[in-house]
Amino acid sequence: MSPHGTGRRGVLVTFEGGEGAGKSTQISRLADHLEGRGLRVVRTREPGGTPGAEAIRHVLLAGGARRFGSAAEALLFAAARADHVDRLIRPALANGAWVLSDRFTDSTRVYQGTAGVARDLLMALEQVALGGVAPDLTVILDIPADIGLARAAARSGDGGPDRFEGDPLAEHEARRKAFLAIARAEPARCVVIDATADADTVAAAIWTAVENRLTVATGDTVTVTGA
Ligand code: Z5A
């Protein structure tokens, strides 16, 4: 059964939030849970997920596009997303998979939006990149910026901060507020989870949200009931 009448049979769940919120950790937990029920799962991330998008990721996170300004960075994030959607996400959904993406469109709205890129431009880019694909559920992992950054720093060891991690704390806090504003504006799509809790507690809250909002059928058929 197609959740959106677009011929697709799978489910797209996106994970959003600040650095070190636990997105990768929780995608892994949810994937294990779904796979344990016999469902096909595709784990992916943005920017990235395809060879072309991973190449763009390298440029963006190394700071190679910073000198061109935030609008140019938004164009590159959108180009990476278009490739990711066309070559990986849309085919996987058509194939009935659960696609779990570490960041997606909300990250552009938040990071490039709080950096001053016009909302009209961001929404136009989003429309072009998605071509009708949209998340069924977005899990926003909410955590004070200083806690998330400390977690990310402890994990990355001597790798040092990337293009965005090195921004001032106030920018990270502005991003946190922007994610929460999206959740308030789109409550049917978004669920906010307290990410300061231990990983097991967070995983349980995410599973409850998945069960409340999506019908998790075993085998090939996945139906989406909405919030
Ligand atoms: N960006 C953008 O500007 N525009 C866009 O459109 C898109 C992205 C798509 C990509 O970064 C950057 O690109 C991102 C936004 C920008 N900014 N930055 N930086 P990335 O992909 O390299 O990294 P990230 O998305 O920010 O995630 P992360 O830092 O890798 O963190 P995470 O995946 O949310 O967390 P984690 O790796 O699961 O956990 C971090 C550590 O905390 C790790 O040691 C865990 O073991 C630990 N952890 C996890 N959960 C817990 C709990 N519950 N308690 C205690 N410790 C925990």
Side-chain angles (χ1 to χ4, degrees):
M1 181 176 178
S2 165
H4 297 293
T6 56
R8 72 186 234 194
R9 298 184 301 133
V11 175
L12 175 58
V13 183
T14 59
F15 286 71
E16 301 277 8
E19 285 74 23
K23 299 178 292 299
S24 311
T25 303
Q26 294 303 328
I27 283 176
S28 184
R29 298 286 189 105
L30 181 58
D32 288 349
H33 204 135
L34 293 168
E35 284 166 350
R37 292 180 168 230
L39 292 158
R40 287 194 300 279
V41 177
V42 173
R43 310 174 196 202
T44 190
R45 68 174 181 182
E46 287 209 346
T50 59
E54 289 290 334
I56 296 173
R57 175 189 178 90
H58 177 73
V59 172
L60 281 164
L61 296 197
R66 187 173 201 159
R67 65 198 163 107
F68 301 116
S70 295
E73 288 184 313
L75 293 173
L76 286 171
F77 279 112
R81 180 162 303 126
D83 194 63
H84 187 209
V85 168
D86 284 348
R87 293 174 192 269
L88 189 142
I89 295 178
R90 190 178 286 109
L93 292 175
N95 205 24
W98 282 67
V99 178
L100 310 184
S101 186
D102 190 338
R103 299 193 179 279
F104 201 58
T105 46
D106 296 311
S107 282
T108 308
R109 294 185 191 181
V110 165
Y111 282 77
Q112 283 61 60
T114 56
V117 181
R119 180 176 164 80
D120 286 355
L121 173 59
L122 293 180
M123 298 318 286
L125 290 173
E126 184 174 310
Q127 205 179 351
V128 171
L130 295 187
V133 168
D136 298 295
L137 175 66
T138 295
V139 175
I140 296 177
L141 294 178
D142 181 50
I143 192 167
D146 56 341
I147 299 177
L149 287 168
R151 282 186 189 172
R155 179 213 48 203
S156 59
D158 61 1
D162 68 24
R163 152 74 180 89
F164 298 95
E165 279 171 354
D167 288 336
L169 190 62
E171 287 184 34
H172 290 285
E173 283 296 353
R175 292 165 185 161
R176 181 187 183 198
K177 286 186 182 143
F179 276 121
L180 294 175
I182 289 172
R184 280 195 301 276
E186 297 187 50
R189 172 174 69 88
C190 301
V191 59
V192 177
I193 305 279
D194 175 9
T196 61
D198 64 86
D200 287 345
T201 302
V202 176
I206 291 171
W207 183 248
T208 298
V210 168
E211 283 196 310
N212 284 346
R213 292 167 182 244
L214 308 173
T215 297
V216 186
T218 52
D220 269 357
T221 307
V222 174
T223 57
V224 176
T225 55

